[in-house]
């Protein structure tokens, strides 16, 4: 089991499948100039499946979330999902995506064994979408969401980041749209994930701001901590139910004490936290030759992973006003 010195047990594995993305969201990456990982640096499909197998069968992981970059850009995605669905015990599997490409892949992913999806969408206005993402693909995301719902990849969760002066007035409209379409909306406080370090704490839209805006149109009843468990989102019942809205307040209301996640980057590094400044290499162990060393065995890889998680810090550091992310491209780490 993946336990740390604070008694937290990691059962949720986030797997970044690629560092590439077909959007250029202003709060995530610059429009151009990023150096992508080479094919040799990326984990192969077989290596990804092997690490997931070790996590599930030896380390107690019960939930897998495939991320990117944009995971739908990974050519072997459907095959990876299908192979992981055959593991015993079978993990629950989900996907975080920008929705572009879901229209053509949702049915295949469901048939392969994917359980549900999280789709990022920050605005209902195509012009604002183009400004935020530097791409004119709003219609594709809406069609992807519909395809996911029709394929049964439910509950379909929609992740939204509000940005000052762009979409900060859209919270009530977004919730009304989500309720109408049977999506579960989750607002996420903007975090310092941008490679250009443009994030400023004093300019972000906080959880308090979001809830104040929503309450101008909706009655919100707090779901309660007993229902939340280790989930990052605080949830509220909308107008008496059954729909709910979530807020992930990573900056103003950190939830590190209940964290149950471990992360695998696209190039085979273990991250104990999305905001960790250190990584532990598993790719080297994966590619070690058995005749030269025992380091490449499943047991050796599991030991390395356990040791990495044992050293997990108490918190993310986001409560430090001076916090800034290092220069490691977040697209390779995954959300």
């Amino acid at each position: 089991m993946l336990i740390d010195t604070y008694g937290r047990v990691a059962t949720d594995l986030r797997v970044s499948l690629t560092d590439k993305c077909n959007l250029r969201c202003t709060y995530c990456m610059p429009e151009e100039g990023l150096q992508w990982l080479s094919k040799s640096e990326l984990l192969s499909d077989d290596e990804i499946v092997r690490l997931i197998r070790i996590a599930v069968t030896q380390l107690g992981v019960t939930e897998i979330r495939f991320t990117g970059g944009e995971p739908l850009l990974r050519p072997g995605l459907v095959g990876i999902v299908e192979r992981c669905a055959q593991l015993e015990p079978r993990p629950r599997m989900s996907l975080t995506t920008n929705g572009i490409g879901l229209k053509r892949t949702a049915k295949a992913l469901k048939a392969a064994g994917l359980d549900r999806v999280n789709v990022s969408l920050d605005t209902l206005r195509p012009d604002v979408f183009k400004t935020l993402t530097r791409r004119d693909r709003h219609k594709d995301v809406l069609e992807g969401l519909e395809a996911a719902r029709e394929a049964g990849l439910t509950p379909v969760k929609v992740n939204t980041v509000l940005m000052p002066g762009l979409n900060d007035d859209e919270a009530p409209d977004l919730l009304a749209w989500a309720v109408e379409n049977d999506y579960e909306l989750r607002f996420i406080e903007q975090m310092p994930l941008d490679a250009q370090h443009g994030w400023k704490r004093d300019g972000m839209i906080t959880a308090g701001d979001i809830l104040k805006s929503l309450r101008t149109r909706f009655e919100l009843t707090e779901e309660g901590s007993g229902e939340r468990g280790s989930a990052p989102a605080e949830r509220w019942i909308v107008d008496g139910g059954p729909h709910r809205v979530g807020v992930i307040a990573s900056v103003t209301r950190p939830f590190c004490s209940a964290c149950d996640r471990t992360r695998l980057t696209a190039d085979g590094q273990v991250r104990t936290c999305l905001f960790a400044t250190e990584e532990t290499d598993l790719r080297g162990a994966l590619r070690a030759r058995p005749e030269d060393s025992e380091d490449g065995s499943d047991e050796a890889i599991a030991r390395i992973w356990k040791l990495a998680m044992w050293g997990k810090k108490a918190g993310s550091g986001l409560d430090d006003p001076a916090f800034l992310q290092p220069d490691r491209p977040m697209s390779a780490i995954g959300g």
Side-chain angles (χ1 to χ4, degrees), residues 32 43 53 55 67-68 78 85 115 143 174 227 248 250 309:
E32 54 188 24
L43 293 178
R53 175 176 56 77
T67 70
V78 172
D115 295 303
E143 290 177 347
L174 281 159
E227 296 289 334
I248 299 177
S250 302
M309 293 305 296

Side-chain angles (χ1 to χ4, degrees), residues 6 73 103 116 154 160 175 225 259-260 319:
Y6 298 93
L73 295 179
K103 182 179 180 180
R116 63 171 192 84
T154 54
T160 296
L175 182 53
S225 57
C259 181
D260 65 348
D319 52 353

Side-chain angles (χ1 to χ4, degrees), residues 82-101:
E82 188 172 31
R83 292 166 68 183
C84 291
Q86 295 169 5
L87 294 173
E88 292 292 343
R90 183 197 187 282
R92 296 184 299 275
M93 291 184 292
S94 58
L95 178 82
T96 294
T97 172
N98 61 29
I100 298 172

Side-chain angles (χ1 to χ4, degrees), residues 14-20 35-44 47-48 51 67-69 74 263-271 279-287 328-334:
R14 304 297 168 104
V15 182
S16 174
L17 298 179
T18 179
D19 59 331
K20 294 182 174 64
Q35 296 296 313
W36 306 116
L37 294 169
S38 67
K39 186 175 181 179
S40 63
E41 291 175 296
L42 289 169
L43 293 178
S44 68
E47 288 171 334
I48 290 170
L51 286 176
T67 70
R74 178 89 187 200
R263 298 175 181 274
L264 184 63
T265 69
D267 54 351
Q269 311 299 305
V270 170
R271 275 209 162 205
E279 299 174 336
T280 300
D281 180 34
L282 292 185
R283 186 184 63 196
L286 277 173
R287 297 178 181 179
R328 173 84 153 111
M330 294 304 295
S331 55
I333 296 167

